[in-house]
Amino acid sequence: MTDLFQPCTAGRLQLRNRFVRSATTSAWADEDGVVGPEIVARYAELAAGEVGLIIKGHLYVDPRGKAHAGMAGISDDGHVPALADLVGGVHRNGGVIVAQINHAGCEAEAGERMGPSELETPEWRARAMDARDIRSLIAAFGAAGRRAVDAGFDGVQIHAAHGYLLSQFLSRLANRRTDVWGGSLEHRMHLLLEVYLELRARLGGGTVIGVKLNCDDFSESGFTVDESAAVAHELVELGIDFIEVSGGGFGMEERYRERARADERTLARHPALAEASFAGHCGRIRAATGSAPLALVDGLRSLACMRAVVDSGLADLVSLCRPFIREPDLVKRLAAGQPEATCTSCDACSSGEVFGAQMMRCVLD
């Protein structure tokens, strides 16, 4: 049985344990996207709680790609000093932190929405990006990666999940282009690969670059697990350092989420994996990526499940979001004998009364 609390390596990352704080927005930056002292203190608290790897809540690479009020930015050099303070607090407490960089695309909060194709819902309309927009976007990701390094982050994570812009380009449902950026999976993954290559060229071979990737959009005709496995394989071939497996994208319907769960044969060997929402799909991705470091997120609450994720070979790292909102010191609590996170997944922390109205917190405290 793997000891989750012992130091480990994940590619070039040297971690004190196998626990990951998945990127979680605080929704509490100022109007210019600058993080404040409360957020700096929260990340220092996570590091003091002995989280192995902390992934900073998503940072917009372009103001037009801001997903929601209170989202922090990394699109301007003016964002760097406060982010450096945040990183400094993590490092002083022995932590490792990477910056998640993102563009919301047609899910941007306001202004000029744009995406891979012209898209429209009852709430908004987005225009199709042209070649100049796409090249500008790739450069923006590269510049954001350089700012992350300047701020002292230990690496970057490309956000290509959850229906944001790079995820939109991967989706057959959102991406209806017929040029080199759309159509076949090879063309739909082109933008993500170009963003990765731009970051690698700017940051060099020694900088950790990861990606958050959907295992499935959970839509009727969007990005599928077979496509995800193919994209993950291509990223590994290009040298990606780690992949965090998540799910849920453009056109998601809850009724399709069950197809990602572990099958009966897997559960017979590791029944605790029933908690892990994407365990079944993660196994398919693992088969396509070999020994490349994987993290699995969503639904993990008990230590038994977390151990099963690693012992079954599904992933190398266990990634949690909401549990760390409630218990920033959860790793210490689990090591001391607490059997599971006390988070009930009520989602009140993302309600309108909390999200953007105050710094992200558990309302049950």
Side-chain angles (χ1 to χ4, degrees):
M1 180 183 293
T2 304
D3 189 342
L4 302 182
F5 300 96
Q6 288 299 306
C8 67
T9 60
R12 282 178 278 252
L13 289 170
Q14 303 292 317
L15 307 177
R16 52 187 170 188
N17 55 54
R18 294 180 183 269
F19 294 89
V20 179
R21 188 270 198 165
S22 192
T24 309
T25 184
S26 302
W28 201 239
D30 68 17
E31 291 183 359
D32 296 320
V34 177
V35 299
E38 303 95 338
I39 299 174
V40 171
R42 174 55 58 89
Y43 279 86
E45 185 180 19
L46 286 163
E50 300 185 0
V51 179
L53 171 62
I54 299 169
I55 305 177
K56 168 71 185 76
H58 63 175
L59 300 161
Y60 59 79
V61 302
D62 182 316
R64 294 175 298 176
K66 185 177 179 180
H68 53 77
M71 182 179 176
I74 196 166
S75 62
D76 184 272
D77 290 347
H79 292 131
V80 172
L83 291 172
D85 289 343
L86 185 152
V87 172
V90 169
H91 286 168
R92 284 191 295 275
N93 283 297
V96 174
I97 183 168
V98 303
Q100 186 186 82
I101 53 179
N102 191 24
H103 190 295
C106 67
E107 296 288 348
E109 65 163 352
E112 185 185 26
R113 295 177 187 262
M114 55 185 179
S117 305
E118 185 174 322
L119 299 167
E120 187 172 2
T121 73
E123 291 77 34
W124 51 258
R125 183 175 182 177
R127 68 171 179 83
M129 297 172 68
D130 61 26
R132 180 177 295 181
D133 293 325
I134 292 171
R135 289 297 173 191
S136 176
L137 175 78
I138 294 168
F141 269 96
R146 169 49 57 193
R147 293 186 191 100
V149 171
D150 290 344
F153 283 97
D154 299 296
V156 297
Q157 184 191 59
I158 304 164
H159 198 343
H162 300 172
Y164 293 122
L165 185 59
L166 297 181
S167 175
Q168 291 160 25
F169 267 83
L170 291 170
S171 166
R172 288 174 294 169
L173 188 61
N175 185 347
R176 303 162 191 164
R177 304 176 74 97
T178 57
D179 60 5
V180 70
W181 307 103
S184 68
L185 177 61
E186 179 184 6
H187 287 174
R188 283 182 280 121
M189 74 168 82
H190 191 194
L191 179 57
L192 172 57
L193 301 187
E194 287 294 308
V195 165
Y196 167 72
L197 292 172
E198 176 76 9
L199 284 163
R200 184 59 75 201
R202 292 211 192 195
L203 305 183
T207 299
V208 169
I209 303 175
V211 65
K212 190 168 194 170
L213 184 68
N214 276 352
C215 64
D216 193 322
D217 281 358
F218 305 125
S219 62
E220 185 175 2
S221 58
F223 191 58
T224 68
V225 64
D226 289 335
E227 292 178 327
S228 179
V231 172
H233 175 79
E234 190 65 27
L235 286 164
V236 169
E237 289 293 300
L238 289 175
I240 200 79
D241 288 290
F242 71 96
I243 297 172
E244 184 182 16
V245 176
S246 189
F250 190 84
M252 183 179 75
E253 296 182 50
E254 284 295 320
R255 61 185 171 134
Y256 294 120
R257 284 177 61 94
E258 285 300 312
R259 63 193 183 195
R261 293 193 177 274
D263 61 29
E264 291 181 2
R265 290 173 300 172
T266 302
L267 291 176
R269 295 192 300 271
H270 298 279
L273 285 175
E275 276 180 38
S277 305
F278 310 142
H281 279 0
C282 191
R284 302 272 292 277
I285 293 168
R286 172 62 99 184
T289 57
S291 61
L294 294 185
L296 177 62
V297 72
D298 202 80
L300 284 65
R301 295 293 181 269
S302 71
L303 187 56
C305 177
M306 298 172 203
R307 284 176 171 149
V309 165
V310 176
D311 287 340
S312 67
L314 286 182
D316 309 282
L317 305 170
V318 293
S319 192
L320 302 95
C321 169
R322 287 168 292 179
F324 283 125
I325 296 174
R326 179 162 176 77
E327 298 174 285
D329 60 346
L330 178 60
V331 175
K332 284 185 173 181
R333 291 172 181 244
L334 294 173
Q338 181 174 307
E340 61 185 5
T342 60
C343 173
T344 63
S345 302
C346 69
D347 286 339
C349 57
S350 60
S351 68
E353 290 75 26
V354 175
F355 192 86
Q358 52 190 285
M359 193 172 77
M360 185 68 77
R361 68 178 186 87
C362 179
V363 301
L364 301 180
D365 290 337

